[in-house]
Amino acid sequence: MRKLSMALIAGVALAGCGVDPEAENQEIVSNLIQAGFPANDIMIVDGAVYVGRDAHVTLDASREMIQTPEESTEQYHTTNLVGTSVTKICVNPTAAFNAYPRLSEGLDLAIANYNEQGLRLTFSRGPSTDCTANIIAQTTTGTGGSAGFPSNGQPYGIINIGTGLDSYSADVNEHVITHELGHAIGFRHSDYYNRSISCNIGGDEGEAGVGAIHIPGTPTTATVGGSVMNSCFRSTETGEWTATDITALNFLYGGGGGVQSCSSYSFTSYRGQNGRQITCSCTTLGGGAVWGTDLYTDDSAVCTAAVHAGAIPASGGTVTVTIQPGQNSYTGSTRNGVTTSSYGAWSGSISFVGQTPPPPSCSTYSFTSYRGQNGTKIPCTCGAVSSGAVWGTDIYTDDSNACVAAVHAGVIPSSGGRVVVTIAPGQSSYTASTRNGITTYSYGAWSGSITLGLR
C-alpha cells in the first residue's frame, strides 16, 4: 500500500529588524542537539528549522526544550504544551486555502475531531470570537503538511497543508489536518523512534530527553494505522482517532467541560459515517420534532430524542450520539413524556449509546439472494402492514413480502414489530390459507423459502 509522507516541507522564516536569522537558526539547532535530537534529523528549509521532517521549531520552543523540568516523568509529547489559559483555538484558513474544496472540508472535519472529545480545549473555524489562541491554516505545495510545537503556553501558530491533497478524499485531508493540529498542541510522531514503521523508510527522530515523553496508557510501540500521529499516512485513511489517540488526548487535555452543545452539530452532515460517535450536551428539554423510536431520523431534535430514548432525563445531560444508516420507515411512540412521529424512508439515522437500535427494515433485504444459506437468521423490523403478495403457509416463498408473511404467521400484529427471517430450502409446492386477516396464495415448485419467528 502506498504511503504518503506528511513531511513535505515548505515555510518562510520571519526575522525582526536587527535579528540575524542565521545565528538564530544555529542556536535552534544547537538547542535541539542538546535536547537529544539526532543531527541528521534536523534540517533547515527556506530559513526555518524542522525536526521529524514536518515539525517546525522556533527559537522559544527550542529554548524551552532544554529547560530543566520540575519533575522527571517517563511518559510521546513535547514538554511544551498548551497552557490552561488557552480554552478556544481559532483556526483561520487563508483565502488560498479556502479555494481548495477538499482542504476546506478536511479542516471542518478535523476541528470536529477535536471538539467531539470534550477536551478542555475547543477549536473553531475562524473568523470567530472569544479566541484565546489562533492558528493560520495556509497552503503549501505537494501532498503533505507541516506545523510546529507549542511555546510559551501557546499552540504553534501555522499549519501548512499541501494543495496536492485536494485530489484525495475528504477523509485523507481530515487525517493530515488533524495530524498537523496535533503537532501544534504538542504531539510528537507516535513512531518517532522508527519512521520506517509508517513510511517504509527513515529512522529515529530522537527521543530528545523530555522532548519525546511517553503518554501513560498508550502503547510504546507503533503500528501502521495505529495512530493519526504516525509519521506518514496512507491513501485509505479514515481521518478518525484511534482508541490510543483518544487516550492520549484525554491525558493531556481532558476535562474542563469542553463538551459542545448538541445544537451546535448538524447530524445530517455525518451521513455515511456509520458508527461514528459524537458526545455533546443537552440543557433542559425544550421540545422539538422527533421521528422514530430507538432509531431516529438524523434531522430529529437530538436532545428531545435522547429523553425519549431514556438516555438523559428531561433536565438534560451529556449524550453520545451514534451515526446510523437511513431506514425505509420509522415508527412513532410515546416514552418518558415525549411523543415521536412515524415517517417513511429517510437517508440518515441516529441512536444513542446505551440504547440498542432496532434492526434494519425487512424491506431493505432481498431474501432471494440468500438462497443456499439455509438456517441463516436475519433480524429485521416491520412497519405497519398494509399489503403485499405472499405464497405459502408457515413456510413461504423467499420472494414473498416478509412482513405480510410475519402477520400471516402470527409473529407480529398488523401494526408491525421485529421479526427474525430464517432462510430455508425451496419446496416442491406451497399451500394457500387465510390467517390473521391475510390471505396467501398457493404455488408450485420454488427455489428458496423463508420462515418467520421472533428468534
Side-chain angles (χ1 to χ4, degrees):
M1 189 172 292
R2 185 161 65 101
K3 306 292 192 301
L4 305 171
S5 174
M6 275 181 284
L8 184 59
I9 301 169
V12 178
L14 301 178
C17 181
V19 176
D20 181 355
E22 184 176 349
E24 185 175 290
N25 284 343
Q26 287 177 352
E27 181 184 345
I28 295 171
V29 171
S30 175
N31 290 343
L32 288 171
I33 291 173
Q34 183 180 338
F37 288 90
N40 62 4
D41 199 50
I42 302 169
M43 60 181 68
I44 299 175
V45 179
D46 292 337
V49 181
Y50 289 83
V51 293
R53 295 180 61 85
D54 71 338
H56 178 213
V57 181
T58 64
L59 180 60
D60 284 343
S62 73
R63 287 172 175 168
E64 289 183 34
M65 288 180 185
I66 59 175
Q67 293 173 358
T68 301
E70 295 179 2
E71 60 180 5
S72 177
T73 56
E74 189 179 24
Q75 299 181 350
Y76 301 131
H77 63 83
T78 64
T79 302
N80 311 337
L81 295 175
V82 176
T84 55
S85 63
V86 176
T87 56
K88 180 179 180 179
I89 300 174
C90 294
V91 185
N92 304 292
T94 64
F97 187 101
N98 285 333
Y100 292 89
R102 290 287 173 81
L103 272 65
S104 184
E105 182 180 1
L107 175 58
D108 287 335
L109 294 171
I111 287 172
N113 267 348
Y114 285 94
N115 289 341
E116 288 162 6
Q117 298 308 314
L119 308 174
R120 69 169 177 82
L121 301 172
T122 60
F123 287 73
S124 178
R125 183 175 183 136
S128 186
T129 58
D130 303 322
C131 308
T132 52
N134 286 275
I135 296 174
I136 297 171
Q138 63 187 26
T139 59
T140 186
T141 57
T143 54
S146 65
F149 296 133
S151 62
N152 299 319
Q154 292 284 310
Y156 188 76
I158 297 173
I159 60 170
N160 300 295
I161 305 299
T163 56
L165 287 167
D166 203 54
S167 63
Y168 289 85
S169 69
D171 287 340
V172 168
N173 281 266
E174 175 187 7
H175 179 101
V176 173
I177 297 172
T178 299
H179 175 106
E180 300 307 339
L181 288 174
H183 281 321
I185 63 173
F187 284 98
R188 288 289 305 273
H189 288 145
S190 51
D191 57 350
Y192 79 93
Y193 61 91
N194 183 4
R195 290 174 57 87
S196 67
I197 292 172
S198 65
C199 301
N200 289 332
I201 59 171
D204 191 349
E205 294 178 5
E207 190 170 308
V210 295
I213 304 170
H214 176 247
I215 298 173
T218 65
T220 56
T221 54
T223 59
V224 175
S227 172
V228 168
M229 294 310 300
N230 277 357
S231 298
C232 295
F233 66 93
R234 305 162 295 175
S235 60
T236 55
E237 300 292 0
T238 65
E240 304 307 316
W241 300 116
T242 66
T244 56
D245 288 334
I246 293 172
T247 297
L249 282 164
N250 284 323
F251 182 86
L252 295 186
Y253 297 113
V259 177
Q260 300 232 325
S261 169
C262 294
S263 62
S264 68
Y265 290 96
S266 173
F267 292 99
T268 57
S269 67
Y270 291 89
R271 286 178 185 169
Q273 301 179 42
N274 299 327
R276 183 166 186 167
Q277 295 185 332
I278 300 165
T279 299
C280 57
S281 63
C282 296
T283 56
T284 302
L285 181 63
V290 178
W291 296 268
T293 297
D294 294 328
L295 203 61
Y296 306 91
T297 63
D298 59 5
D299 66 337
S300 294
V302 170
C303 294
T304 306
V307 173
H308 181 269
I312 56 170
S315 57
T318 299
V319 298
T320 298
V321 182
T322 302
I323 305 302
Q324 302 280 9
Q327 301 294 304
N328 282 343
S329 63
Y330 298 82
T331 302
S333 65
T334 298
R335 284 183 185 167
N336 304 313
V338 175
T339 298
T340 65
S341 302
S342 297
Y343 201 76
W346 191 252
S347 300
S349 309
I350 56 172
S351 64
F352 299 92
V353 170
Q355 304 295 309
T356 302
S361 170
C362 295
S363 62
T364 63
Y365 290 99
S366 172
F367 296 107
T368 57
S369 66
Y370 289 86
R371 286 178 185 170
Q373 301 179 42
N374 299 326
T376 296
K377 294 181 180 293
I378 304 168
C380 57
T381 303
C382 296
V385 172
S386 56
S387 63
V390 178
W391 296 265
T393 297
D394 294 329
I395 185 164
Y396 305 91
T397 64
D398 59 5
D399 64 339
S400 294
N401 184 301
C403 292
V404 177
V407 174
H408 181 268
V411 175
I412 59 171
S414 59
S415 58
R418 301 185 188 187
V419 301
V420 174
V421 179
T422 302
I423 305 302
Q427 304 292 306
S428 59
S429 63
Y430 297 82
T431 304
S433 65
T434 298
R435 287 181 183 168
N436 304 313
I438 303 293
T439 298
T440 65
Y441 299 97
S442 297
Y443 202 78
W446 191 251
S447 300
S449 306
I450 55 172
T451 61
L452 288 305
L454 293 176
R455 62 181 182 178

